[in-house]
Amino acid sequence: MTTGEIPMGYWMDKTYTVSKDFSWFIYSENEKDLFFLASKDNGKTWQKALVSENAQRMRYRKAQFFADGSGILAYSSASPEVSSEGLILFQTNDHGQSWSQMNSTTIGQPVQNVSFVNPTLGFVSTREKLYYTNNSGSSFKEAVVTIPEEYQTGGLDLFQSPNEVTQVSTNQLEAKFYLLKMKGIDQGKMFACLYRSSDNGETWQFAEQLSQVMPNE
């Protein structure tokens, strides 16, 4: 859990949740086997499930759960020779008691965030691009993100944890992207910007500028 680029002693966001009804941790004991540890009785007892026996070179990892007990677990496999990463997805239908691999794909740049709206519709971001799947990860396509002329990507990740893609109505999704201001009195500053999509994440339109984001955030 604390290998790779994550400083010793730190837990990557969304690799654990602690609550009275459902607490869980993603971890590896040997940098190869990936486990999921969960408790549903306020920590009195814990159940350990093997997710993968071949989770080597893990860097990014995350799990999400939905109201019906289903969930998605994703991790990226990094290589020191290339900038692209493998993204491996797993699913559960029993609150993590058992896991099965869904699909795997290659992302051209290091993965910065994975966010699923439901078990079928999900998103993967890098520093500059956003990808979407509407078939549980069987395939990914690059989303079209319309950026106003006074902004550009760069400096920070386009879309990073703990941000999520959220469904605000039947036909509308929202997300918060980080953009660099290139004109006006705020030139050179980074801002969180609200984006919306009305076609299940295929295209995204700028809605409004939100708060300024400092580089260490």
Side-chain angles (χ1 to χ4, degrees):
M1 183 57 233
T2 54
T3 59
E5 298 182 3
I6 306 304
M8 185 64 70
Y10 284 75
W11 286 80
M12 186 180 289
D13 189 57
K14 302 296 183 180
T15 58
Y16 71 96
T17 287
V18 177
S19 68
K20 181 178 179 180
D21 298 323
F22 186 38
S23 297
W24 54 266
F25 295 85
I26 305 170
Y27 73 101
S28 177
E29 299 172 347
N30 53 16
E31 300 184 29
K32 179 181 178 182
D33 299 325
L34 182 63
F35 293 101
F36 182 84
L37 188 68
S39 173
K40 299 177 73 174
D41 57 8
N42 204 22
K44 294 178 181 179
T45 60
W46 294 83
Q47 291 74 47
K48 179 180 177 181
L50 177 66
V51 180
S52 173
E53 295 179 299
N54 191 34
Q56 299 181 4
R57 301 194 306 271
M58 282 187 295
R59 188 189 60 80
Y60 176 91
R61 64 286 246 179
K62 176 180 180 178
Q64 282 182 271
F65 287 89
F66 309 105
D68 62 357
S70 63
I72 304 291
L73 190 152
Y75 77 84
S76 69
S77 179
S79 172
E81 291 82 18
V82 295
S83 60
S84 62
E85 291 188 335
L87 181 67
I88 300 89
L89 300 172
F90 297 84
Q91 65 180 352
T92 180
N93 293 309
D94 53 15
H95 287 91
Q97 296 181 50
S98 60
W99 294 88
S100 59
Q101 184 171 333
M102 298 166 58
N103 293 289
S104 62
T105 189
T106 299
I107 303 297
Q109 295 177 324
V111 173
Q112 301 300 331
N113 197 12
V114 176
S115 180
F116 272 77
V117 177
N118 55 54
T120 301
L121 180 61
F123 299 85
V124 179
S125 73
T126 68
R127 282 191 176 275
E128 298 179 347
K129 296 182 178 182
L130 182 70
Y131 301 89
Y132 72 95
T133 177
N134 53 20
N135 53 19
S136 300
S138 294
S139 62
F140 281 87
K141 297 180 181 180
E142 184 177 344
V144 176
V145 179
T146 301
I147 300 177
E149 62 177 10
E150 65 265 31
Y151 297 89
Q152 72 174 35
T153 59
L156 282 178
D157 308 324
L158 172 65
F159 172 62
Q160 65 183 10
S161 187
N163 296 335
E164 303 289 350
V165 176
T166 58
Q167 187 161 14
V168 294
S169 65
T170 303
N171 298 313
Q172 185 164 279
L173 304 175
E174 285 188 353
K176 185 171 65 175
F177 298 155
Y178 295 129
L179 299 178
L180 189 66
K181 196 71 173 287
M182 299 306 297
K183 294 182 179 180
I185 59 174
D186 291 323
Q187 182 176 353
K189 296 179 181 180
M190 185 70 63
F191 288 90
C193 298
L194 180 66
Y195 269 76
R196 294 191 176 103
S197 173
S198 57
D199 55 10
N200 285 323
E202 294 184 30
T203 62
W204 290 85
Q205 291 76 42
F206 179 92
E208 62 177 308
Q209 175 181 298
L210 302 175
S211 59
Q212 182 181 352
V213 179
M214 304 305 295
N216 62 355
E217 295 181 19

